[in-house]
């Protein structure tokens, strides 16, 4: 269950208001009351859930600049507006601004073409790690008949004129799309590329039969079959089932006060670890030997104690199937009461948990304390951490009326700051997109206006704390999203090859009712929008899941009459290689459709693809007789 609210609220306290977390059925009212992100007051998927994270030997060592790589995307748009400020929420942003599909640009620049620089050149960045996609409210199914629009935004006459003019010019130029140069490519293919710890570190560049630039293989037969489907548990209230991972043998998923492993081909239960209370938060990273970290409640909810505290941190050994250790911790400045945590991450052998009372860290192997939560005399504390290849923190100072955030690169063993960057005024919450290179997202001055919590990205030199470049990301054009208050909860975007890959918003496609989008890339040194793009195709929408070496693994969310696909996008050429195509039968499509890519945990590895829920709710009259699933899994032969 969730934590008691800090102030009056009609929602369970462990749920940030305004971010529904249990997807409604395709038609009819939602399956339950809205709920939110990780843990109690929270503030997705995605380093990437379910893949190993190597220890950070030299977390912030300088790396050579990467050649241009493929962008990524995610479905987006039409999200609810967050409520007024609260200890676990986010200030209500202004209404969406009447922009088109991006920044104003000359008519000859068609959709996806790079505009001018979005910032000043700075120091070279390091290769980075991608994010796994997490979920938010279900959107109308792609390709299903619906009114024209862009996720609820009107396609204005002015925008139609601009797009039509751009298309006309492109056709005149030569009947095809001509992309601008991506700049200097002299070192193309020579640099390392992070895979967010998802594949255990350095890319193998096609060794072992994998695609060039990554480890994933294209099977001889890309048609998938249903591996298994797990029924949704029956609950009496909103219940967190946060966390999912893929090991070499198992698919591991949080259930109702338990962690359970299933044979990834057949769904046979391999082991189950009972917990004293509900899971509140789960690390999206895991170690090379398949260990990960969770936060859970100290006890199950009762009538007398409806909201038990999320104060237990633990490590799960997913190879052995056991809870290695679990413990609570008191604050260095707050008395004997155990501190509650909102989120948890993993970097190398360090487990770091954060929340409104400060952050703490433990050794992954035995739970030994590395540092305790502490609020200093200036009211500063560690709000939350970003893990993966390195460790970074968002440190919050001041009051709710006067907030100052600082992003620090940390020594993962001692917690000592290696560098510091002070976020600009007007930033109340910030999210760590990647720790290597260090990339942060924020909604500066609450200007995003769409609930995405992103107006700008900040590329930071982790060695010095200096800003390399600030990249504006118009919410009317780009579809990435971060949690409203969580530090490590961004989705539908990726970082790799010294680039930030963002999906564009959905827009009209070739067919009458079809929607589609693209993925574009920004250079993390110059801030420039680079040439080239990956097209989802008519009635599909690309959703990046993670990096695979220099490639991007993406889910193609399908139209109502097709099965979804998994593709690998080449980081240099944007060429897409089909890895999986899900069955097209009505029953299978219906099950897949209930897991919105915006709203679910999505994992792909080695010919296996899983979509799972992050929260489940009490059934309503509308869905009382429906087949609802906690997990649907697919595999190729």
């Amino acid at each position: 269950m969730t934590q008691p609210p800090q102030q009056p609220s009609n929602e369970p306290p462990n749920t940030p208001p305004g971010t529904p977390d249990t997807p409604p059925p395709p038609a009819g009212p939602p399956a339950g009351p809205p709920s939110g992100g990780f843990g109690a007051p929270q503030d997705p998927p995605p380093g990437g859930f379910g893949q190993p994270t190597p220890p950070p030997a030299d977390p912030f060592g300088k790396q050579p600049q990467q050649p241009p790589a493929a962008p990524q995307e995610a479905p987006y748009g039409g999200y609810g507006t967050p409520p007024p400020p609260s200890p676990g929420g986010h200030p209500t942003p202004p209404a969406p601004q009447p922009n088109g599909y991006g920044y104003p640009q000359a008519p000859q620049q068609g959709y996806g073409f790079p505009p001018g620089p979005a910032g000043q050149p700075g120091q070279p960045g390091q290769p980075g790690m991608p994010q796994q996609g997490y979920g938010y409210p279900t959107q109308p199914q792609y390709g299903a008949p619906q009114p024209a629009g862009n996720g609820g935004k009107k396609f204005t006459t002015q925008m139609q004129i601009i797009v039509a003019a751009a298309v006309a010019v492109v056709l005149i130029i030569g009947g095809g799309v001509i992309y601008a140069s991506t700049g200097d490519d002299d070192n193309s293919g020579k640099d390392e590329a992070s895979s967010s710890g998802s594949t255990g570190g350095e890319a193998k560049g096609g060794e072992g039969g994998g695609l060039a630039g990554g480890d994933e293989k294209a099977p001889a037969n890309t048609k998938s079959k249903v591996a298994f489907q797990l029924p949704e548990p029956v609950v009496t209230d909103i219940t967190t089932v946060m966390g999912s991972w893929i090991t070499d043998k198992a698919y591991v998923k949080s259930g109702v006060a338990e962690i359970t492993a299933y044979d990834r081909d057949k769904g046979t239960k391999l082991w189950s670890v009972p917990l004293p209370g509900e899971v509140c938060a789960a690390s999206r990273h895991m170690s090379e030997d398949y260990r990960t970290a969770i936060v859970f409640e100290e006890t199950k909810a009762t009538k007398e104690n409806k909201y038990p505290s999320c104060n237990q941190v633990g490590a799960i050994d997913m190879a052995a199937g056991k809870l290695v250790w679990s413990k609570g911790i008191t604050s260095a400045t707050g008395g004997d009461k155990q501190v509650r945590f909102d989120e948890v991450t993993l970097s190398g052998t360090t487990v770091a948990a954060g929340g409104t009372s400060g952050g703490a860290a433990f050794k992954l192997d035995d739970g030994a304390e590395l540092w305790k939560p502490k609020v200093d005399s200036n009211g500063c504390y560690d709000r939350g951490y970003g893990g993966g290849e390195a460790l970074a923190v968002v440190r919050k100072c001041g009051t709710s009326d006067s907030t100052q955030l600082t992003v620090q690169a940390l020594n993962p063993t001692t917690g000592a700051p290696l560098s510091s960057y002070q976020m600009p005024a007007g930033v109340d919450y910030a999210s760590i997109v990647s720790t290597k290179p260090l990339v942060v997202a924020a909604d500066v001055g609450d200007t995003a206006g769409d609930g995405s919590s992103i107006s700008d990205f900040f590329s930071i030199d982790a060695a010095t704390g200096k800003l390399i470049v600030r990249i504006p990301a118009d919410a009317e054009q780009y579809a990435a999203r971060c949690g409203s208050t969580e530090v490590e909860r961004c989705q539908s975007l990726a970082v790799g090859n010294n680039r930030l890959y963002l999906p564009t918003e959905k827009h009209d496609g070739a067919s009458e009712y079809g929607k589609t989008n693209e993925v574009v890339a920004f250079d993390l040194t110059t801030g420039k929008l680079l040439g080239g793009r990956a097209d989802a195709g008519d009635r599909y929408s690309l959703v990046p899941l993670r990096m695979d070496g220099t490639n991007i693994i993406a889910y193609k969310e399908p139209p109502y009459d097709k099965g979804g696909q998994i593709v690998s996008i080449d980081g240099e050429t944007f060429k897409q290689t089909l890895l999986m195509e899900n069955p097209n039968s009505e029953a299978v499509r219906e099950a897949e459709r209930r897991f919105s890519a915006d709203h679910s945990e999505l994992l792909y590895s080695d010919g296996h693809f899983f979509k799972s829920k992050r929260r489940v709710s009490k059934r309503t009259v509308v869905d009382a007789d429906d087949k609802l699933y906690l997990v649907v899994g697919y595999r190729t032969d």
Side-chain angles (χ1 to χ4, degrees), residues 245 281-283 285 291-295 313-316 344-346 351 364:
W245 306 265
S283 172
H285 311 287
R291 292 191 179 200
T292 193
I294 58 173
V295 170
V313 182
I316 298 287
V344 66
T345 193
L346 174 67
V351 173
L364 176 62

Side-chain angles (χ1 to χ4, degrees), residues 64 303 336 413 495 599:
K303 289 183 178 179
D336 297 332
T413 302
V495 174
H599 190 85

Side-chain angles (χ1 to χ4, degrees), residues 3-183:
Q3 293 304 305
Q6 303 284 324
Q7 65 181 36
S9 172
N10 292 327
E11 299 189 4
N14 203 25
T15 300
T19 54
D21 207 53
T22 300
S35 56
F38 279 163
Q42 328 234 345
D43 303 63
F49 245 137
Q51 299 288 339
T53 299
D58 181 14
F60 304 106
K62 286 287 185 177
Q63 301 289 340
Q65 181 179 345
Q66 299 293 324
Q72 309 188 14
E73 62 187 311
Y76 187 68
Y79 295 100
T81 302
S86 70
H90 191 40
T92 303
Q97 301 175 7
N99 295 329
Y101 289 136
Y103 302 108
Q105 39 190 303
Q108 66 268 24
Q109 291 178 311
Y111 197 93
F113 281 83
Q120 297 300 319
Q123 304 175 27
Q126 296 89 22
M129 58 186 200
Q131 304 298 314
Q132 196 75 304
Y134 283 1
Y136 285 88
T138 305
Q139 300 299 312
Q141 192 64 26
Y142 300 120
Q146 53 186 297
N150 182 25
K153 300 166 185 170
K154 294 183 179 180
F155 190 33
T156 65
T157 302
Q158 181 181 10
M159 287 189 283
Q160 295 180 46
I161 294 172
I162 293 173
V163 173
V167 172
V169 171
V170 170
L171 293 174
I172 292 173
I173 289 174
V177 177
I178 300 176
Y179 297 103
S181 169
T182 56

